[in-house]
């Protein structure tokens, strides 16, 4: 008479425990990797927004021949500049073609005018209690001397908590009485007191991101702040009155 082979209750219990341990560790590894990937993508998205602002805004300001907005302010008023919606920066760059006569519709020998406008738009909020966040829009308009216009609109960054851009008035040097050979005719004033001038634009940008729900940090959001300045190198083009 042949005996039938079967698993004992103890063997089944051991197998269940081993499978449970394997599934538990597989679950931990899977979700830890998912969390790491999510955090990496979130960080890349934040860095990409900051990189776009540095690249586009830096090039637009450096190549500009005119800064339309913002209006220069006194240095002591710079700390009071706040984030506002709508247009925050307008710059123009003009191209001159010496081959054309001084009868261009754009003025003088100007063959093309590029106007760049940056604006902040509020983002839609799922929860009314959430703090307001913004997205930065870059609008480019190219106007040719033949009357043709082309426009481009793109979003550079989102989830912006704070974005301010300003330029300060450069105070004139103070004349001094010269009583000895070692004294100066003009007394120099440090930039921290005199301002940096109309051609230097200061930018402060703070991006706010949500933390992962698995993050041990109690704060639900974290911020990344970038502070920099851009110098306008283009020369002003003054049209003959």
């Amino acid at each position: 008479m042949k005996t039938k082979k079967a698993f004992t209750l103890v063997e089944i219990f051991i197998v269940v425990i081993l499978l449970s341990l394997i599934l538990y560790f597989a679950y931990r590894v899977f979700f830890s990797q998912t969390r790491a990937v999510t955090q990496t993508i979130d960080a890349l998205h934040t860095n990409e927004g900051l990189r776009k602002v540095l690249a586009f805004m830096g090039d637009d300001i450096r190549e500009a021949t005119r800064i339309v907005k913002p209006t220069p302010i006194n240095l002591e008023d710079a700390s009071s500049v706040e984030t506002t919606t709508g247009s925050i920066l307008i710059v123009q760059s003009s191209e001159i073609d010496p081959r054309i006569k001084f009868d261009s519709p754009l003025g003088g020998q100007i063959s093309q005018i590029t106007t760049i406008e940056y604006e902040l738009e509020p983002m839609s909020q799922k929860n009314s209690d959430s703090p307001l966040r913004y997205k930065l829009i870059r609008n480019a308009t190219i106007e040719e001397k033949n009357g043709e216009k082309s426009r481009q609109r793109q979003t550079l960054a989102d989830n912006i908590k704070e974005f301010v851009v300003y330029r300060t008035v450069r105070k004139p040097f103070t004349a001094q009485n010269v009583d000895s050979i070692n004294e100066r005719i003009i007394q120099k004033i440090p930039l921290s007191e005199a301002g940096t001038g109309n051609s230097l634009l200061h930018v402060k940008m703070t991006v706010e991101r949500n933390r992962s729900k698995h993050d041990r940090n109690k704060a639900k959001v974290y911020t990344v702040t970038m502070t920099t300045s851009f110098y306008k190198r283009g020369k002003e083009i003054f049209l003959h009155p």
Side-chain angles (χ1 to χ4, degrees):
M1 182 177 180
K2 295 182 180 180
T3 58
K4 296 182 178 180
K5 295 182 180 181
F7 294 106
T8 64
L9 185 61
V10 174
E11 291 174 333
I12 293 175
F13 184 70
I14 293 174
V15 170
V16 171
I17 293 176
L18 291 175
L19 287 175
S20 300
L21 289 173
I22 292 173
L23 291 175
Y24 172 75
F25 286 109
Y27 171 86
R28 293 289 300 273
V29 170
F30 173 77
F31 280 97
S32 64
Q33 293 296 323
T34 302
R35 183 169 63 252
V37 170
T38 302
Q39 292 175 348
T40 301
I41 294 175
D42 190 65
L44 289 174
H45 183 75
T46 301
N47 292 335
E48 179 69 10
L50 296 174
R51 185 193 66 80
K52 283 184 177 180
V53 173
L54 283 172
F56 283 95
M57 185 172 288
D59 288 343
D60 292 337
I61 295 174
R62 281 189 291 266
E63 296 176 2
T65 54
R66 182 189 176 200
I67 299 176
V68 181
K69 192 176 183 179
T71 304
I73 60 175
N74 293 323
L75 182 62
E76 53 268 23
D77 298 329
S79 59
S80 62
V81 179
E82 298 180 349
T83 302
T84 57
T85 57
S87 176
I88 58 174
L89 173 65
I90 302 176
V91 296
Q92 287 183 339
S93 60
S94 303
E95 295 185 10
I96 295 180
D97 188 353
R99 297 172 297 180
I100 63 178
K101 299 179 180 180
F102 285 87
D103 57 356
S104 171
L106 303 178
Q109 291 179 300
I110 297 178
S111 60
Q112 177 178 294
I113 295 179
T114 302
T115 303
I116 308 294
E117 180 180 17
Y118 287 85
E119 58 180 347
L120 280 178
E121 290 187 0
M123 299 178 61
S124 58
Q125 296 176 269
K126 297 180 180 179
N127 188 353
S128 59
D129 297 331
S130 301
L132 187 61
R133 296 178 181 177
Y134 309 90
K135 56 183 177 179
L136 182 64
I137 310 297
R138 178 182 182 268
N139 299 301
T141 303
I142 300 176
E143 185 177 1
E144 306 284 349
K145 63 183 174 106
N146 57 9
E148 294 183 359
K149 287 186 179 181
S150 59
R151 293 180 174 86
Q152 183 184 24
R153 179 181 174 90
Q154 61 185 134
T155 301
L156 298 185
D158 55 11
N159 289 302
I160 297 174
K161 179 182 179 181
E162 178 187 17
F163 197 103
V164 294
V165 54
Y166 63 93
R167 52 182 176 153
T168 60
V169 178
R170 175 70 171 169
K171 294 180 180 178
F173 292 145
T174 304
Q176 302 291 318
N177 293 326
V178 180
D179 295 328
S180 66
I181 193 171
N182 294 326
E183 293 187 2
R184 300 177 180 271
I185 298 178
I186 296 178
Q187 180 67 33
K188 291 185 177 180
I189 306 175
L191 296 179
S192 58
E193 299 176 9
T196 53
N198 297 338
S199 296
L200 192 63
L201 275 158
H202 308 280
V203 177
K204 181 180 179 182
M205 174 182 176
T206 300
V207 180
E208 189 173 76
R209 309 298 300 183
N210 291 323
R211 290 188 182 275
S212 170
K213 64 180 180 180
H214 302 289
D215 200 315
R216 295 180 181 178
N217 195 308
K218 294 182 180 180
K220 294 183 180 180
V221 297
Y222 68 94
T223 58
V224 180
T225 300
M226 176 188 69
T227 304
T228 186
S229 300
F230 301 107
Y231 185 76
K232 181 183 77 69
R233 296 183 298 188
K235 295 183 179 180
E236 297 280 351
I237 296 179
F238 299 98
L239 301 180
H240 194 283

